[in-house]
Amino acid sequence: MKLHAALSPPRFLHTPAEKLWPGVYRALQSSTALGLSLLQRGARKVHGLPLQALPSKQALRELGQRYEDLLCAEVESVRAGDYPKDLLFRFGWLRHLPRWPSLALEIHRILERQSRKAHAELPARVDLSAYPPYYRRNFHWQSDGYLSERSAELYDAAVEFLFTGTANVMRRRALAKVATELRDRPKTAPRARLLDVGCGTGEFLAQLSAACPQVEATGIDLSPFYLKRAERRSLPVEWVQGRAEALPFEDGHFDLLSSIFMFHELPRRVRREALREFYRVLRPGGLLVLQDAAQVDDAGELAFFLERFPEEFHEPFFSDYLRDPLEALLTREGFVEVQRSDAFVSKVVVARKP
């Protein structure tokens, strides 16, 4: 009896509600992905932009399998106690409904700007000399780049639209790695200190605060406008403006460091400088969790979709990123225990400072 009880799922998983929620979640996510995909194609057709070339059957199968694996991983993470299941619904696409009218207008502007290849349209009132050259552009053709409050207000909804409702789902694959590390931490240890580099509007840190309230979190980003938006979340987080390649922190200050969907927007040289800074500010034994797009070496048939991304959106460093494997970079910079896991069209790479 004792052995049976130890091997059986917790009692609450046998209740009707607990049996139903995975199916409800999967249905909501799948219908969202389909609906947003159709909206994307419709918007491109209205603006006279060519539709994307059709992928092969193998590429579609792999994309579908990775999507299924992503949703299965979500359910398993909830059951493992990595994060509460309400995150799956609280951070879904539906919470962006109030911004749909503004987002529809922004999508029109993005597609119009894309047709003109106008990648340098930035607010005239902003002192661009305060930012490095690689940052002075409107990534994704979005209005104002990362340099206005309007951009910050619409960014999360726009990214969910771009990734058909899976942006936060993918981010939670990185969250699961952080949660596992914190769960294994001795209860007598002081509060773990985590730095999120390229935190943007704080979307990842909002989920982290809900799942791991015991962590002492700091978010750093180059955009003061995005940090202002992040501050309005009223999270127990310290917000700092700064660059990934010149972190304003002491050596060995953090137990964990995360960086989500930032590396593909950095030039090759800056990627290496950023990793050296990550290594410097982590304590010995500290964990690094990097998430970004899958790369050619590990993408398989998914490479079809990845190769087209910089063509469709203004991502000047993306093609180089695809051929600059993160795992090899981390090893070269002195990290150990480097491991990769897939997360739909992204991957999560964890490594440790020896």
Side-chain angles (χ1 to χ4, degrees):
M1 290 296 291
K2 289 183 179 180
L3 178 61
H4 173 76
L7 296 177
S8 297
R11 185 181 300 276
F12 73 88
L13 291 180
H14 296 298
T15 65
E18 290 303 326
K19 288 181 179 179
L20 288 176
W21 74 260
V24 172
Y25 168 68
R26 291 168 65 87
L28 283 173
Q29 279 297 142
S30 298
S31 58
T32 296
L34 176 61
L36 294 181
S37 296
L38 292 174
L39 283 175
Q40 287 181 14
R41 293 180 67 84
R44 294 186 66 82
K45 189 172 183 179
V46 166
H47 285 81
L49 292 169
L51 297 177
Q52 294 182 353
L54 293 177
S56 66
K57 290 182 178 179
Q58 294 92 329
L60 283 173
R61 270 198 299 269
E62 181 155 348
L63 185 71
Q65 186 59 58
R66 285 185 177 233
Y67 182 74
E68 286 296 315
D69 292 344
L70 180 71
L71 299 189
C72 288
E74 278 268 80
V75 173
E76 291 306 311
S77 283
V78 170
R79 288 176 170 163
D82 292 334
Y83 43 80
K85 69 173 177 291
D86 69 304
L87 282 192
L88 280 60
F89 300 93
R90 191 198 318 175
F91 285 86
W93 168 252
L94 292 177
R95 72 188 177 89
H96 294 298
L97 278 175
R99 296 187 181 88
W100 274 28
S102 298
L103 180 60
L105 179 59
E106 172 62 5
I107 291 169
H108 167 76
R109 290 170 175 157
I110 286 173
L111 293 174
E112 189 274 332
R113 195 173 293 113
Q114 180 183 356
S115 68
R116 294 187 290 109
K117 306 297 182 185
H119 70 270
E121 287 186 351
L122 295 170
R125 63 187 179 279
V126 174
D127 178 13
L128 295 181
S129 66
Y131 303 94
Y134 67 81
Y135 201 72
R136 302 172 198 168
R137 62 188 74 245
N138 47 43
F139 291 95
H140 319 143
W141 308 110
Q142 65 193 37
S143 298
D144 304 331
Y146 293 125
L147 299 175
S148 77
E149 292 185 23
R150 176 180 64 173
S151 169
E153 186 74 23
L154 291 175
Y155 178 76
D156 294 320
V159 169
E160 287 292 357
F161 179 80
L162 171 64
F163 287 111
T164 60
T166 64
N168 264 327
V169 185
M170 289 189 287
R171 285 189 186 106
R172 285 193 289 272
R173 294 296 82 226
L175 176 61
K177 301 296 185 183
V178 173
T180 299
E181 178 77 0
L182 292 172
R183 191 165 57 243
D184 294 340
R185 189 177 173 84
K187 296 187 182 300
T188 55
R191 291 181 70 192
R193 289 185 289 200
L194 176 141
L195 175 66
D196 187 42
V197 183
C199 65
T201 64
E203 194 76 352
F204 176 72
L205 289 178
Q207 298 192 78
L208 177 72
S209 295
C212 308
Q214 74 274 29
V215 75
E216 184 178 312
T218 301
I220 185 168
D221 199 88
L222 191 47
S223 172
F225 306 98
Y226 278 56
L227 287 173
K228 185 176 180 180
R229 170 75 177 164
E231 288 171 352
R232 292 209 298 270
R233 292 177 180 270
S234 299
L235 298 172
V237 174
E238 179 185 6
W239 306 104
V240 178
Q241 186 182 2
R243 296 161 61 170
E245 64 270 33
L247 296 174
F249 306 105
E250 296 178 356
D251 295 1
H253 185 71
F254 295 98
D255 301 289
L256 301 101
L257 191 150
S258 59
S259 185
I260 315 295
F261 296 129
M262 181 190 73
F263 259 55
H264 71 274
E265 295 190 344
L266 301 177
R268 177 172 285 240
R269 172 185 59 81
V270 179
R271 274 178 237 136
R272 284 149 177 77
E273 292 174 353
L275 282 181
R276 291 178 197 127
E277 282 292 272
F278 293 2
Y279 189 94
R280 180 183 66 79
V281 302
L282 270 174
R283 66 162 174 79
L287 188 74
L288 172 63
V289 179
L290 277 182
Q291 182 173 28
D292 215 304
Q295 295 176 291
V296 169
D297 284 356
D298 49 72
E301 293 291 336
L302 201 66
F304 171 87
F305 303 98
L306 297 171
E307 296 280 7
R308 295 196 60 81
F309 189 76
E311 299 174 15
E312 299 293 332
F313 300 93
H314 180 56
E315 288 285 10
F317 312 116
F318 194 89
S319 292
D320 180 68
Y321 162 82
L322 287 178
R323 292 162 178 81
D324 193 21
L326 291 176
E327 299 89 331
L329 273 180
L330 290 167
T331 300
R332 196 174 304 134
E333 295 302 331
F335 288 93
V336 296
E337 300 178 33
V338 180
Q339 297 181 346
R340 184 199 95 231
S341 57
D342 297 327
F344 191 34
V345 295
S346 75
K347 66 178 180 180
V348 179
V349 182
V350 297
R352 202 171 292 277
K353 178 177 177 177

